[in-house]
Amino acid sequence: MANIGSLDEFLFSISKSFCSPFGVFVQIQGYVICSLLALGWLCAAYVRNREINCMKERIKRGNNFAFLCQDINELEHSKQSNLPRVTVIMPLKGFGEHNLHNWRSQITSLYGGPLEFLFVVESTEDLAYHAVNKLLEDYQDHVEAKIIVAGLSSTCSQKIHNQLVGVEKVHKESKYVLFLDDDVRLHPGSIGSLAAEMEKNPEIFIQTGYPLDLPSGSLGSYCIYEYHMPCSMGFATGGRTFFLWGGCMMMHADDFRNDNCGVVSGLRDGGYSDDMTLAAIAGAHKKLISSPPIAVFPHPLATDLTFPRYWNYLRKQTFVLESYTFKINKIMNRALFIVHFYLSWGFVAPFFMSTFNVVAGLRYYYEGYILEDTTFISVGFSLAFGLAVFTIIELLSMWNLTRIEVILCNMLSPEASPLTLATYNWFLVFVAMLVDNFLYPISAIRSHFTQSINWSGIRYHLKDGKIAKIERPKEKGPKFTDLGGKLVLYGKKGAPKLSVLMSFSRNIAQWRHPKKFDM
């Protein structure tokens, strides 16, 4: 029998400690976390699948426009003419890889009521300004839309500033305001469905939705997909929720005109995150936030989404927990910080331990070492096997929810190229689960101690949960958002502007939907 080397002796001692009562507890805790995630995704899948079955039933009954409305009689002219006016506000920053397609999906909505679109940019130097100008030139006979230059923010984040400037320009007859991010790809009936829910239940304060990430293949894109998936549980309730996603928020226009519940002042006076601020206001005034089951939107991630850009995105997400509107929000954010910290590393630790256990066990069996105590070898293998089983169950549950959301998105956008699960790499999903959960606490700690963040080239400093200082470097910030990607607009430095416009024109022609304008 072989003698034990110093390195193997160290390996066996570590493995043995991981099989102690405390080590077993930590690894069983990993089983529990995997089980809770699997259960949450199972419930979310049930809600989404129920909507799919309802749509199929409507189609069987003769409603071939089930992707637009629940009752085909709602498409009658008498009812369409009475639909409320909606204003869509889109705060923009830069020009990304999928922006043109996303904007097109927004302005070609099949909503039958009065509808206007306000694209809000920081300045005319923003690449989004020229891209939107060209887009609206081609669609000027089909949509009511305009670009608004908001200028620089001084008391809140630039995104919130753009939103509030857009609210000031809302049509006086608009009943609802819909805030959309530039990475949201709407379905033809999304605006109509959201407005219909608001009409059915006037008690709804904010109506929201959530994205279905479409990873591009890089590890960074899978990390973002994995980061969003646990949050998706809170948006798949089929109604009341406590969560809010800033990428899609429909609200009553009068709430902004009259500053009801302090929505305007709360955002304007030091607001960093639009959704966290509004969610805090809703909670403080016991207002209803709703997320209908059809509010899930395809979210293609950039093909050049590198790991550093993922890290920057994660930093922004953890920094949100440092901002707050009321003292109770500060307490809740701290509690969320601690819970997320605990669960993230509580999820990663069992895999770290199991790796040591498996390696130690393989060394024991293949090298023929003589050990006084071999109990920890069998215990280690058992714990590792159990973790593998629960991890597979968790991944299957995640796959099932993603599969159902893909089906739902395809049914809601029958004219678009169908989404598919074939592009998902589930090994990378597993790796992303470990990487994201390991890095989240690190990012959260850094956010807590720095109290500042660089967001699209602008550095924000917090004090008492609100923006207290804004720094804008002389050099220009990034020309694209973290998730949207970038387009190479200039082949060579100093290329004429005409080539840029021609590039925009070619992209629009490529993405143009012929059925919409063949009539």
Side-chain angles (χ1 to χ4, degrees), residues 406-444:
V406 163
I407 294 174
L408 180 57
C409 286
N410 287 336
M411 292 184 69
L412 291 171
S413 293
E415 86 296 345
S417 300
L419 307 179
T420 175
L421 277 175
T423 58
Y424 286 75
N425 185 324
W426 292 98
F427 174 74
L428 279 182
V429 172
F430 169 70
V431 174
M433 289 166 59
L434 298 179
V435 172
D436 185 63
N437 281 285
F438 176 77
L439 291 179
Y440 183 93
I442 298 175
S443 177

Side-chain angles (χ1 to χ4, degrees), residues 217-272:
S218 66
L219 178 59
S221 67
Y222 278 101
C223 285
I224 290 173
Y225 164 75
E226 191 282 330
Y227 175 82
H228 282 161
M229 283 303 289
C231 302
S232 66
M233 302 174 194
F235 293 86
T237 61
R240 177 183 291 272
T241 182
F242 299 101
F243 299 90
L244 184 59
W245 178 52
C248 175
M249 302 184 298
M250 178 173 278
M251 302 180 64
H252 296 268
D254 283 343
D255 286 341
F256 288 93
R257 295 188 182 106
N258 305 320
D259 194 17
N260 294 337
C261 302
V263 293
V264 175
S265 54
L267 290 168
R268 181 190 58 218
D269 301 336
Y272 166 74

Side-chain angles (χ1 to χ4, degrees), residues 67 104-105 108 186-188 410 412-418 513 515:
F67 66 98
R104 185 189 148 277
S105 74
T108 56
L186 287 185
H187 305 292
N410 287 336
L412 291 171
S413 293
E415 86 296 345
S417 300
H513 176 21
K515 295 181 180 179

Side-chain angles (χ1 to χ4, degrees), residues 14 62 119 128 258 273 321 333 404 410 468:
I14 292 294
F119 295 86
N258 305 320
S273 170
L321 295 180
N333 285 358
I404 289 175
N410 287 336

